[in-house]
Amino acid sequence: MSSLEEELKLYFTDFEGKFKARLGRVVPSQETSSEEFGTSSPYTCRVLAEYDRDLLRLIDSGMLLAVRNFRTKEAGGTRYTLMEILRFWPEHFGLRGLKDYQYYPLQFEVIEQSVSDWETSDKSTMIIQISAIPINYDLVTGENHVFGYERGFSYPVVGERVYILNKEMIKDMYNRKVLEKIGFISEETSSDPWKDPRLGTIKMFEASAENIPIYIDYDSLVRYHFGIFAFTGGGKSNMLSNILRRLLIHTEDTKVVIFDISCEYPFLLMNLFVDPRIPSKIILEHKADTAKELYNSIVKPKLFEDDPRVIKGMEKIFSQNKVTHFVRELLRTPTFREFLDGVAALKSDNQSKLNYVEALNEVEILTAKYMTEKGYIESDEIDREFVTKLVAAAPTIVTSYKVHEKSGLYGWFETRQRMTRYFRETEEIDTSGGLTTEAIQELIEGDTRLISITISDPQIVKQLVIDLTQNILAQRKREFKVKPYILFVWDEAQEFVANPGSVSGIDRQCSIEVERLLRQGRKYGLGGCIATQRIAHLNTSALQQLHTYFVSTLPRPYDRGLISNTFMIDKSILEKTLEFTPGDWLLSSYIATGLANVPIYIRADNAEEEIEKFLNKI
C-alpha cells in the first residue's frame, strides 16, 4: 500500500509502498571534460532505497527522482531538485564485507546464503543503491496543486526522502507544451502515424505496462535542425523514415528533400509515395522504364528482399508517374562565387608578382561592379553579358599590368572567350523526360512535398547538394521567404559533411555548403537533418548547429565523447546507449520537446510495421 500523502500522489509514485528511499550523498564531480571521453555532470547523487525484490523490476534508468532542496521556503510551496537515474543495483551487506584474503570456505558459505536472502524482504541485510545526476531543473509545487519547472541547479537536502515522478507528471513534463502547440488532443495513444503524431513511447514504466507517448514539435525540429546517430544495425534509417512519415502527415505544407545515397527511402516511405494526398517524386540516377527497374534500383530490408508484394508497391508508384531521373548537364554554368574563387586561387599562385595580383584585382572589381549593376549575388550563375564584358576588358588589363605573353595568367586571359560555351551547351541539353538541377529546384519550390534523390554516385549527389543548397538559400534570402519549411536530409552524412580540414575538392565544398545552410537556413525556413553511423570525422561546426539529436548505440568511445562535448550530454547517460536494442533511442532537444535539453530514453515506433500494413492491403 502506498505510504505517500494524497497531495504527493499527484506528483509522485512509490509503487504501492515499495519505493522508500533517502538521498545518501551528493558528490562534486572530479573529472574534467575531454574530447575523447566527453563531459560529466558537476554532481553525482547517491540514493539509498530499502530493499524490495519487485522494486528491481519496476525502476529503470531514465526515471526522474525528486528531492526537496534548500531553496524551499516555509511559505510559497516546495521546491524539488530533479535527478535522472543513471544506474541501480542491489547490495548485500554480507557480500560487501567479503575480502579476497578471507578463508575460502567462509566466502563460499556467505555467497551461498545470499542466494536465498535475495528472495526475502530482509531490509536489514540488503539495500538498493541508485546513482543519479541532476537535470538542472526544479519542480516547484504550490497551493491548489499548481506546479511548474524552473531551470537551474538547486542543492538538494542530503538525507531527505526521495520520490519518483509518476506517469502523469512525466507525460505532462515532456508533452504538454508540444501538444498545445501542435493542437493534438487524444485520450488514447496509437502507433498508427495517421491517428497519432507520436514518435514512440518513453521507456520509463514499461515494467508496469504503462505506455507514455513522446511527442515532438515538428516545426521546431525542422527549422532548428536535428541529427540521428547510430551504429550499423541500430535502426537509423527506420527512425528517420518514422520521423519523416509523421512530419509529412501532421504538418500542412512542410517539404522534405532526401539525398538518398543508400537508395533505401523509396521502400521505407513507399506508402507515402503511393498516397495521392502527398505530392512526391523519386529521382533516380538512370532512367527506369518499368517498375521492375525501379525495384532493382532500390535497397530493401532483409525481411523484404524476396517479398513479391514489394514489386506491387513499386508498380503503384510507377503508375502515378512519380519516378524520373537526373539529367546531368554536359557543362554546368559556374556561379559568380565559383568564378571569384578561381580568381582568388590565381592570385594565390602569383603572390610573388604584384603586377599580376593587381591585374586580377581589376577582374574582381569588374565582377563586383557588374553584380551590383544587375542585382546579382554570389550564388547566381554568370551570364553571357558578363562574359562579353570580361572578354572585352581582358586585352586592356593584360597590357596595363604587363602580363607576360608566356605566363600562365596570360593564357587565362586569352581563353576567357571560351566561357561562352557554357551557354551554347546548356541550351542544347536534351532532358529526355528527366530533370536537370534547375528543374529539381523548381520541383522543390513547387507543390511537391516529398522528393527522394536516390542516386548512389557520390560525386553526382554532392554536386547536387552544392547547387541546390546554394540556389535555394539564395532564393529565400532574395525573397526573405520563410514558409513553407523545407527539410534537407543527408543520410550517410559522412559523405556530405566531412571535416573540411581533412578533405579537398568537391568533398570540402559540399561540407562547407551544408554548414552554410545549417548556419543561415533557420532564418529562412530551411532545415537540415544529419544522419550517420560515425561522427568522429564530421564537420563539428555543422554539428553544433543541431538543436535536436537522437542517439542510439555508438560502440566507439570517441564518437560518444564527441556527442557528449558537442551537445552537453553527460557521458554516463551516453554509456547507457550501449545496452540499447534496435528501436531504443536517447532523445534530447533544446527546442522541440516539452523540457529543454533533458535526455529522454524512448522506444521508437517501428516504421517497417507501416510498410507491412501497406503491403498487406495491396
Side-chain angles (χ1 to χ4, degrees):
M1 182 179 295
S2 176
S3 60
L4 290 177
E5 301 172 10
E6 288 302 316
E7 184 174 349
L8 293 179
K9 287 182 181 179
L10 296 173
Y11 315 115
F12 310 123
T13 179
D14 63 357
F15 296 118
E16 299 299 322
K18 293 181 175 64
F19 184 77
K20 296 177 182 178
R22 297 276 174 176
L23 179 61
R25 61 182 182 272
V26 179
V27 182
S29 176
Q30 300 297 319
E31 298 185 24
T32 57
S33 300
S34 69
E35 186 176 347
E36 182 177 357
F37 298 110
T39 187
S40 297
S41 171
Y43 295 95
T44 299
C45 304
R46 182 60 57 84
V47 175
L48 304 178
E50 291 184 3
Y51 178 77
D52 188 294
R53 189 175 184 277
D54 290 338
L55 187 59
L56 292 169
R57 174 181 59 84
L58 295 170
I59 59 175
D60 198 1
S61 299
M63 282 184 171
L64 296 186
L65 306 178
V67 185
R68 189 174 64 87
N69 61 47
F70 286 102
R71 295 183 65 190
T72 296
K73 299 179 181 179
E74 292 184 4
T78 306
R79 299 180 71 100
Y80 299 89
T81 298
L82 296 180
M83 303 177 294
E84 183 166 352
I85 295 178
L86 292 179
R87 57 185 64 87
F88 58 94
W89 63 96
E91 195 167 272
H92 192 287
F93 183 79
L95 293 176
R96 188 177 182 181
L98 288 178
K99 305 298 181 183
D100 289 342
Y101 59 78
Q102 289 178 325
Y103 185 49
Y104 289 144
L106 174 62
Q107 291 188 50
F108 275 108
E109 184 176 349
V110 174
I111 293 171
E112 185 179 359
Q113 179 61 39
S114 70
V115 175
S116 58
D117 289 345
W118 295 123
E119 302 301 322
T120 69
S121 297
D122 186 355
K123 296 176 174 54
S124 62
T125 306
M126 296 167 291
I127 200 170
I128 296 176
Q129 298 262 19
I130 300 174
S131 176
I133 60 171
I135 65 170
N136 296 320
Y137 275 93
D138 279 1
L139 168 65
V140 184
T141 62
E143 297 179 357
N144 300 320
H145 311 310
V146 175
F147 65 91
Y149 305 98
E150 290 190 13
R151 190 156 194 176
F153 173 73
S154 299
Y155 201 92
V157 178
V158 177
E160 261 289 6
R161 184 170 180 183
V162 178
Y163 304 97
I164 296 178
L165 265 64
N166 63 29
K167 173 187 173 182
E168 293 304 318
M169 287 293 288
I170 295 297
K171 185 176 180 180
D172 177 90
M173 174 187 292
Y174 292 131
N175 294 324
R176 177 168 52 86
K177 290 182 180 179
V178 175
L179 292 173
E180 288 174 354
K181 185 171 182 180
I182 66 178
F184 179 76
I185 301 174
S186 177
E187 296 298 326
E188 298 292 331
T189 184
S190 170
S191 61
D192 186 338
W194 295 96
K195 297 178 180 178
D196 195 334
R198 77 176 201 186
L199 279 185
T201 56
I202 299 173
K203 284 176 64 64
M204 299 181 214
F205 301 103
E206 284 184 332
S208 305
E210 298 186 41
N211 291 328
I212 308 173
I214 181 69
Y215 295 93
I216 289 286
D217 177 359
Y218 290 110
D219 283 351
S220 297
L221 183 74
V222 170
R223 191 168 181 180
Y224 292 90
H225 321 309
F226 64 101
I228 300 178
F229 310 114
F231 194 61
T232 301
K236 172 172 55 69
S237 299
N238 192 303
M239 182 61 172
L240 180 53
S241 61
N242 191 18
I243 293 172
L244 298 181
R245 180 175 284 105
R246 284 157 174 78
L247 189 153
L248 288 163
I249 292 172
H250 294 283
T251 59
E252 291 185 4
D253 54 6
T254 300
K255 301 178 181 182
V256 174
V257 182
I258 310 171
F259 295 99
D260 180 21
I261 200 169
S262 54
C263 303
E264 54 189 347
Y265 287 91
F267 174 86
L268 292 172
L269 298 174
M270 188 191 311
N271 60 332
L272 296 188
F273 282 111
V274 169
D275 198 310
R277 293 169 290 183
I278 301 176
S280 56
K281 189 73 74 175
I282 298 172
I283 303 172
L284 301 176
E285 186 172 348
H286 303 291
K287 185 178 182 181
D289 293 315
T290 64
K292 183 66 174 177
E293 292 181 12
L294 170 62
Y295 174 86
N296 292 333
S297 300
I298 64 172
V299 175
K300 283 79 65 178
K302 187 174 181 180
L303 290 175
F304 295 92
E305 284 180 350
D306 300 316
D307 194 326
R309 299 172 299 171
V310 177
I311 187 65
K312 298 290 185 181
M314 296 297 111
E315 289 172 356
K316 282 187 170 291
I317 298 174
F318 202 83
S319 66
Q320 296 182 33
N321 296 320
K322 291 187 174 181
V323 181
T324 185
H325 64 285
F326 174 59
V327 177
R328 194 173 186 178
E329 291 93 335
L330 299 176
L331 194 62
R332 190 179 63 85
T333 306
T335 63
F336 283 100
R337 179 187 293 125
E338 291 168 335
F339 175 76
L340 290 171
D341 284 346
V343 174
L346 285 171
K347 288 173 66 176
S348 177
D349 293 340
N350 292 277
Q351 283 182 352
S352 61
K353 301 175 181 177
L354 295 180
N355 58 321
Y356 287 11
V357 172
E358 290 296 328
L360 292 167
N361 285 341
E362 288 292 330
V363 174
E364 290 180 331
I365 293 170
L366 181 150
T367 306
K369 285 182 177 179
Y370 182 78
M371 291 171 63
T372 302
E373 177 188 331
K374 296 293 184 179
Y376 287 146
I377 60 176
E378 288 189 347
S379 58
D380 289 327
E381 294 180 349
I382 63 172
D383 58 18
R384 189 185 293 272
E385 184 180 348
F386 168 73
V387 174
T388 302
K389 285 182 176 290
L390 178 62
V391 170
T396 303
I397 296 173
V398 167
T399 303
S400 300
Y401 292 95
K402 299 185 179 346
V403 179
H404 196 277
E405 63 182 11
K406 291 186 178 180
S407 68
L409 185 59
Y410 184 90
W412 183 83
F413 276 108
E414 283 291 298
T415 56
R416 290 311 87 199
Q417 178 66 38
R418 293 200 64 213
M419 291 176 68
T420 57
R421 74 191 189 281
Y422 294 125
F423 314 108
R424 281 199 313 273
E425 296 189 8
T426 299
E427 292 163 0
E428 294 169 2
I429 290 177
D430 177 14
T431 62
S432 302
L435 298 177
T436 61
T437 302
E438 184 178 352
I440 295 174
Q441 182 178 341
E442 293 175 357
L443 195 69
I444 295 171
E445 293 172 345
D447 296 328
T448 307
R449 293 191 61 203
L450 173 59
I451 299 171
S452 178
I453 301 176
T454 303
I455 298 175
S456 60
D457 188 323
Q459 300 302 310
I460 295 177
V461 180
K462 288 171 188 175
Q463 190 61 58
L464 271 171
V465 169
I466 294 168
D467 295 339
L468 291 174
T469 53
Q470 280 183 357
N471 296 343
I472 292 175
L473 181 58
Q475 185 72 17
R476 286 278 171 118
K477 285 182 177 180
R478 248 192 309 266
E479 301 174 354
F480 199 79
K481 187 177 179 181
V482 175
K483 288 193 173 182
Y485 294 155
I486 301 175
L487 173 66
F488 294 94
V489 178
W490 294 283
D491 195 7
E492 304 298 338
Q494 67 275 4
E495 295 285 347
F496 304 104
V497 207
N499 182 353
S502 60
V503 293
S504 60
I506 194 171
D507 296 312
R508 184 175 187 275
Q509 188 180 0
C510 183
S511 179
I512 290 172
E513 291 305 326
V514 172
E515 179 192 336
R516 179 181 286 112
L517 183 132
L518 293 175
R519 280 192 288 105
Q520 302 177 11
R522 71 189 61 162
K523 301 176 185 176
Y524 307 101
L526 303 178
C529 167
I530 291 176
T532 183
Q533 58 183 312
R534 185 79 201 275
I535 73 167
H537 304 297
L538 294 193
N539 184 336
T540 53
S541 296
L543 289 175
Q544 288 168 353
Q545 307 304 317
L546 308 180
H547 280 57
T548 304
Y549 21 92
F550 302 84
V551 184
S552 188
T553 303
L554 290 172
R556 296 182 179 91
Y558 184 84
D559 288 343
R560 297 195 301 275
L562 184 59
I563 288 179
S564 177
N565 288 324
T566 303
F567 305 125
M568 297 305 294
I569 302 178
D570 186 272
K571 63 182 183 181
S572 299
I573 291 178
L574 285 169
E575 293 295 324
K576 178 68 177 177
T577 63
L578 294 174
E579 304 171 20
F580 282 180
T581 58
D584 292 344
W585 293 87
L586 174 67
L587 162 63
S588 188
S589 176
Y590 289 101
I591 197 163
T593 52
L595 214 58
N597 204 30
V598 175
I600 317 166
Y601 297 122
I602 69 171
R603 186 182 302 280
D605 291 330
N606 189 350
E608 289 184 11
E609 290 180 0
E610 291 305 307
I611 298 301
E612 181 66 33
K613 287 193 293 185
F614 168 74
L615 292 176
N616 283 335
K617 289 181 181 178
I618 62 173

